[in-house]
Amino acid sequence: HDIFNPVDTQNILNMAIFQTNNEDVPIWKLSRDGKYIVKSAYYYILWRLLLITMIYVKLQIGPLFGLFIILNV
């Protein structure tokens, strides 16, 4: 109670808590079976770097040569 002001403390204490009987299950969306493996993260990073490089190169050889935009893909 010492960290928050009284209004915020009361709002926090009044928040509804979602309750379920289901157990939490970690899921890795980048693999088909939902399990994390370093290989899937590695491929994901490589894929993103490839896309960024392709976009950068395409913009460099486009009609406005020398103009480049860094996109978050």
Side-chain angles (χ1 to χ4, degrees):
H1 297 293
D2 295 334
I3 296 174
F4 301 102
N5 67 51
V7 173
D8 289 341
T9 300
Q10 196 56 49
N11 287 335
I12 292 168
L13 293 172
N14 289 336
M15 286 180 162
I17 298 175
F18 180 73
Q19 295 182 1
T20 180
N21 293 332
N22 298 332
E23 186 176 325
D24 287 342
V25 179
I27 297 175
W28 179 248
K29 69 177 183 175
L30 299 176
S31 66
R32 291 182 182 173
D33 61 2
K35 295 179 183 175
Y36 174 80
I37 54 173
V38 174
K39 187 177 184 179
S40 65
Y42 178 76
Y43 284 134
Y44 175 72
I45 292 168
L46 284 179
W47 176 247
R48 293 204 26 126
L49 288 173
L50 177 64
L51 286 176
I52 290 168
T53 302
M54 288 170 46
I55 290 169
Y56 178 79
V57 169
K58 185 174 182 179
L59 289 172
Q60 285 294 314
I61 61 175
L64 299 175
F65 184 79
L67 174 66
F68 64 95
I69 301 170
I70 299 173
L71 299 174
N72 185 14
V73 177

